[in-house]
Amino acid sequence: MNDLIAKKNGYAALKLGLGKVGLSPLSLAGFIILFLAPFYITNNYLLRVLVSAVYFGTLGMGFDLSVGYIGVANWGYAGLTGLGAYVSALLLVNFGVSPAIGIPVAAIVSGLMGMLIGLLTLRMNPVFTSIVAWFFGLMLQSLCTSLPNLTRGSLGLTVPQLYESPWPKPYFLTIVAIAFVVYIALNIVVNSRLGLAFRALGQDYEAARTSGVYPVKYKLLNFSISCMIAGLCGAFYAHFIGIITPDLMATKHIITILVMTYIGGRGSIWGPLVASLILTPLLESMNSLLEFKYIIYGLLLIAVMIYYPGGLAKLFYTCVDKVKALLAKGKAKETATK
Amino acid sequence: MNHMWKRATALLLTLVMAVALLAGCSGKQETAGGGDGKSLKIGYCLPLTGAYADFGNEVKDTTELYLKDINYKVGDITIVPVWIDTQGDPEAGTKAYEQAVVQDGIQMSMYCQFSSVAVAVMEVAAKYGIPHVCSTGATALVNEKWQSDEKYHVWLKAYPSPDKLSVAYAEVINEAVESGIWTPKQMKYFSFGEDTDWGRSFSAAVGDSFAAKGWEVVGEDYFKAGETDFYAMLNKVKASGATVLAGNINSAPSAAALLKQAREVNLEALIVVDALSEDGRFYEMAGAASDYALDSRAMYSGDEGKALEKRLTETYNYPSSPAGGCFTWDHMAWAMGLIELVASKNETVDSATIYKTIQEEVWTGKYVRDDLYSVPCLKYSEANLPDPEVGTDAFIFPVMQFFGGEPTVVYPDTMKTDDLKIPDYMK
């Protein structure tokens, strides 16, 4: 039926085709605009800010998979990001393994660590899972600190950068490519039967279980994918900034990701990325306000939580529905006139 | 009514976002490195927000007072300060620094607390060729980066590496042993430190300097910054038979807790708490437990130094610390002197001429300041770059021993006011 409609309508055909690879015309357009940004933004500072924005947005997309679908806020997320950073950095520093291999390996190691955390915690209530995941994050941070011979601990590990060029353009293109792959992968997952199972578990755990969804298996899968994304982004970060310390694993870093996810809209996947693209430059533009910018930031967050708990994603869908309703109304009027 | 509120809030939020975005992204052009020759924008990299904001703001206050004193002028050049909030974080620091270069057009930069931040910011400074002086991020990590590529030579440190700075403690204690002032029961040494880049580097370096003097290093312990429970560590020290316990603590409550608890467990060891006097309130917290403790820091010396301390304290209504006060003041004096030198040798003062002058006058040891409060002299030589020269006639912090919260200088001889004193229970 869908195919039939698609044949009649070019836009619908495009939508259907892109949908199969986890994209929509709007998201594709968005990513094209992002990819082309270095060609129309010549300000290197702004480009560096956008690297951060896409980095946090990608982390937010991964975080959203857990919090938005199975209701588990992974408070150990920063620890897993740091783990990815250290794995890729140490592979390069100690064994000369290229980041092209090190970054995917880092993602896998973080995913496996996420699986281990999940095996131990996902049978519990999501609140306890969050707390135990947080402890794991702290443990990872302490481990990195207490192994100075390997990680250089608090002294900091200098990491060779990804590119010879010190300018942000190649880093920007890399992180946008990572975000693009993550976005597609996550959309394919959430639009599949897996996503259905995740949603079912997040909405009504008992009902999902009664319907035959095995909770631990699906939660574990969800949690591992999410942690894998944390590791992937962490590895990129290490080769972008050029130095890592255990502080990268500190809980404070989760707050930024959490904020992007909640303002973007839980369970939307794209929401955190869009929120980060708006909020990161916004916060940067308020740098001269020092501590006051955090007050404005806090007020903004409170306002969003009160008036739009669904975040930007909900706002967007509400607008789309309204436009559709208006168009339908117009069409009905036209038909009636005829 | 509900709808009205929602609309009003949405409108307000949109306005806030729009104004902030416009303010941040308005058409400022990239002006990196080039000045108009009559004004010079200097970026001051400091943690102005976040956990280390207290220190960052103290340095900012001292810098502002110095600039007010010179009426923001060096000759006919107007100094325009640009405050770069690094938040004590490498990622935030690099972003803020790049913003200062690209949007504010800084032509020179100063400070930069924490080595991890310094190493990350070095990359951006090198990229734009911005000379950076008086960097306070000072561990060997910065030196490694500096030596790895010529492009990082735009960076100059205010502090020498910990290994160069830490020898003074071993010197003064060893002198006391050799001159018969103290006969320790055992030549055993235990090091401790905050688990930070500086804490680890410094404590390890002090340990090495004691080992080089024939002391047996019997243990080391690191703890998170701000720790106040040291009973476990102190019992370990006691069991090890160490007669010297030395390390670095930057938090005054933490240092006070260590000293008080050492008294409680009757620890018979001479205690070195590096950075104890960094916070002017340490005696209020530690009381008599700080008697006999050793520290090596910048200090407000002489009548002029005391007057500066009083002025800073009265102006800003908090006790001025030597690091945030006189040491910062000296950095400003050194940097403004450098600009004066650049102006005298060049038609314009910009990144390129500043860097050229640094290479010709600073690296070669020609530009020397010996009229400072915190150290006898600030000078550089090509053999020690990017560190300043260390020595009794160059960069040295006196080793002080405290009694009733007041310091007596026990090292070096040129600054010494008294011999090292050993408590009766250790004799």
Side-chain angles (χ1 to χ4, degrees):
Chain A
M1 183 66 184
N2 278 344
D3 288 342
L4 271 175
I5 297 167
K7 273 177 192 168
K8 284 183 183 173
N9 184 334
Y11 177 76
L14 179 72
K15 201 173 167 185
L16 196 69
L18 287 173
K20 285 177 185 168
V21 288
L23 283 166
S24 66
L26 198 61
S27 63
L28 181 65
F31 274 107
I32 290 171
I33 293 169
L34 257 186
F35 268 117
L36 294 176
F39 302 99
Y40 57 83
I41 295 175
T42 51
N43 183 317
N44 278 298
Y45 158 65
L46 207 56
L47 214 52
R48 179 174 275 269
V49 171
L50 285 178
V51 175
S52 292
V54 180
Y55 164 73
F56 281 115
T58 312
L59 277 172
M61 287 197 284
F63 189 78
D64 188 30
L65 184 69
S66 292
V67 77
Y69 286 83
I70 58 168
V72 176
N74 183 356
W75 279 86
Y77 209 63
L80 291 147
T81 309
L83 178 68
Y86 272 101
V87 168
S88 185
L90 289 171
L91 281 175
L92 177 58
V93 172
N94 294 333
F95 305 105
V97 177
S98 152
I101 300 167
I103 292 177
V105 170
I108 292 167
V109 171
S110 290
L112 289 173
M113 180 57 82
M115 190 178 274
L116 178 70
I117 299 171
L119 272 172
L120 297 170
T121 63
L122 286 170
R123 286 167 209 273
M124 302 174 186
N125 178 301
V127 177
F128 291 108
T129 307
S130 302
I131 293 170
V132 178
W134 179 35
F135 292 159
F136 261 94
L138 293 176
M139 203 180 74
L140 282 172
Q141 188 186 5
S142 301
L143 197 69
C144 272
T145 311
S146 56
L147 292 172
N149 292 336
L150 178 69
T151 61
R152 291 188 60 134
S154 305
L155 293 169
L157 182 68
T158 311
V159 189
Q161 289 180 299
L162 211 48
Y163 302 105
E164 290 268 313
S165 164
W167 303 98
K169 187 177 167 181
Y171 294 96
F172 178 80
L173 292 173
T174 308
I175 190 67
V176 174
I178 290 173
F180 187 62
V181 171
V182 166
Y183 177 80
I184 288 177
L186 289 180
N187 270 302
I188 290 174
V189 167
V190 298
N191 292 327
S192 68
R193 288 165 63 92
L194 270 179
L196 202 64
F198 294 162
R199 266 191 216 98
L201 282 168
Q203 281 165 9
D204 194 331
Y205 182 83
E206 288 305 328
R209 232 172 86 155
T210 321
S211 314
V213 176
Y214 181 49
V216 176
K217 177 184 153 189
Y218 287 103
K219 277 185 164 187
L220 202 60
L221 207 59
N222 177 301
F223 203 72
S224 306
I225 297 169
S226 170
C227 294
M228 207 175 194
I229 294 163
L232 182 70
C233 292
F236 165 81
Y237 176 90
H239 298 289
F240 169 55
I241 293 294
I243 183 161
I244 46 173
T245 63
D247 186 62
L248 179 60
M249 298 171 161
T251 311
K252 65 182 178 191
H253 294 296
I254 303 167
I255 308 297
T256 314
I257 303 164
L258 197 79
V259 167
M260 299 305 172
T261 310
Y262 276 74
I263 290 186
R266 281 165 294 160
S268 65
I269 299 295
W270 59 267
L273 182 61
V274 172
S276 186
L277 284 168
I278 296 169
L279 288 176
T280 310
L282 180 73
L283 268 179
E284 279 296 314
S285 69
M286 294 192 284
N287 268 351
S288 56
L289 300 177
L290 298 177
E291 295 286 5
F292 291 106
K293 78 173 180 180
Y294 294 108
I295 297 172
I296 296 172
Y297 191 40
L299 287 173
L300 186 73
L301 185 61
I302 291 166
V304 169
M305 296 299 268
I306 293 172
Y307 296 109
Y308 264 100
L312 286 171
K314 177 86 183 294
L315 179 69
F316 173 77
Y317 291 127
T318 310
C319 290
V320 169
D321 286 347
K322 281 197 173 163
V323 169
K324 274 184 181 169
L326 275 173
L327 287 175
K329 211 173 167 186
K331 221 172 193 179
K333 228 176 190 178
E334 210 176 286
T335 319
T337 320
K338 276 180 187 173
Chain B
M1 192 65 188
N2 192 22
H3 273 284
M4 254 185 71
W5 269 110
K6 275 193 175 183
R7 278 183 188 175
T9 314
L11 187 67
L12 192 70
L13 289 176
T14 315
L15 277 173
V16 168
M17 281 177 156
V19 169
L21 275 173
L22 280 172
C25 310
S26 59
K28 287 185 182 174
Q29 297 301 310
E30 295 201 22
T31 51
D36 57 15
K38 290 295 165 197
S39 71
L40 182 74
K41 289 187 177 175
I42 303 179
Y44 295 97
C45 303
L46 294 163
L48 297 172
T49 55
Y52 309 100
D54 274 358
F55 180 73
N57 283 300
E58 189 185 348
V59 174
K60 185 182 176 220
D61 288 343
T62 307
T63 305
E64 272 185 328
L65 192 64
Y66 188 97
L67 288 171
K68 275 181 196 162
D69 271 14
I70 60 166
N71 200 23
Y72 292 85
K73 288 261 185 196
V74 175
D76 59 348
I77 299 162
T78 306
I79 305 296
V80 182
V82 175
W83 305 107
I84 302 172
D85 181 15
T86 64
Q87 298 172 37
D89 175 78
E91 200 259 339
T94 48
K95 266 194 302 188
Y97 191 88
E98 190 140 14
Q99 181 183 28
V101 177
V102 172
Q103 298 202 334
D104 299 311
I106 60 163
Q107 294 126 39
M108 175 180 160
S109 51
M110 288 179 70
Y111 309 143
C112 207
Q113 187 83 351
F114 307 116
S115 300
S116 56
V117 181
V119 166
V121 171
M122 263 172 111
E123 199 65 52
V124 190
K127 183 167 79 178
Y128 290 98
I130 305 293
H132 183 101
V133 298
C134 304
S135 166
T136 41
T139 63
L141 205 62
V142 179
N143 293 44
E144 282 168 25
K145 182 114 179 171
W146 196 90
Q147 278 145 10
S148 71
D149 198 311
E150 208 175 304
K151 67 180 179 181
Y152 301 122
H153 289 187
V154 290
W155 203 265
L156 211 55
K157 285 165 65 184
Y159 269 96
S161 302
D163 55 325
K164 294 175 188 166
L165 206 57
S166 58
V167 290
Y169 293 117
E171 287 286 339
V172 68
I173 291 174
N174 226 52
E175 266 179 29
V177 174
E178 281 170 4
S179 62
I181 292 174
W182 182 32
T183 311
K185 287 171 191 160
Q186 300 173 92
M187 297 270 279
K188 287 185 175 177
Y189 168 88
F190 195 105
S191 73
F192 66 87
E194 285 177 346
D195 206 346
T196 60
D197 53 354
W198 180 262
R200 279 206 179 247
S201 301
F202 190 86
S203 299
V206 179
D208 289 345
S209 60
F210 271 91
K213 298 269 179 204
W215 288 70
E216 183 191 348
V217 180
V218 290
E220 60 176 343
D221 205 340
Y222 296 96
F223 41 83
K224 67 177 191 297
E227 179 64 67
T228 50
D229 181 358
F230 295 102
Y231 289 107
M233 183 188 86
L234 290 167
N235 281 309
K236 249 198 289 184
V237 179
K238 218 175 160 184
S240 73
T243 47
V244 172
L245 171 66
N248 169 276
I249 301 184
N250 276 290
S251 140
S254 203
L258 175 88
L259 290 166
K260 282 182 171 175
Q261 288 162 25
R263 286 289 173 94
E264 281 175 41
V265 300
N266 292 320
L267 184 72
E268 293 182 2
L270 200 58
I271 304 177
V272 173
V273 185
D274 185 72
L276 172 69
S277 59
E278 192 103 328
D279 189 322
R281 298 163 298 181
F282 80 92
Y283 189 70
E284 284 172 31
M285 294 180 232
S290 65
D291 288 353
Y292 295 98
L294 294 166
D295 177 24
S296 174
R297 270 308 89 177
M299 62 183 284
Y300 288 101
S301 53
D303 291 341
E304 283 182 26
K306 298 279 177 211
L308 175 66
E309 181 182 16
K310 194 171 170 231
R311 191 173 161 221
L312 283 165
T313 303
E314 283 173 1
T315 309
Y316 295 110
N317 288 321
Y318 56 79
S320 173
S321 73
C326 66
F327 199 45
T328 301
W329 193 272
D330 286 347
H331 291 154
M332 282 300 290
W334 186 91
M336 296 305 113
L338 174 71
I339 291 161
E340 209 176 332
L341 190 63
V342 178
S344 70
K345 289 184 160 288
N346 301 278
E347 281 179 14
T348 53
V349 178
D350 57 20
S351 299
T353 52
I354 294 169
Y355 184 46
K356 189 170 150 261
T357 310
I358 288 174
Q359 286 175 308
E360 289 170 358
E361 302 290 324
V362 179
W363 288 10
T364 53
K366 288 181 195 162
Y367 176 56
V368 174
R369 285 299 292 250
D370 56 3
D371 55 345
L372 308 173
Y373 293 108
S374 57
V375 288
C377 174
L378 193 56
K379 60 181 176 187
Y380 293 81
S381 73
E382 288 201 49
N384 287 306
L385 288 171
D387 290 355
E389 285 279 286
V390 179
T392 49
D393 61 342
F395 190 110
I396 195 158
F397 284 156
V399 178
M400 299 171 280
Q401 191 169 31
F402 291 93
F403 296 97
E406 290 300 318
T408 56
V409 177
V410 293
Y411 183 87
D413 287 344
T414 48
M415 301 164 90
K416 193 169 169 177
T417 55
D418 207 346
D419 283 332
L420 181 75
K421 299 265 188 304
I422 304 298
D424 289 340
Y425 57 82
M426 282 175 59
K427 283 178 181 167

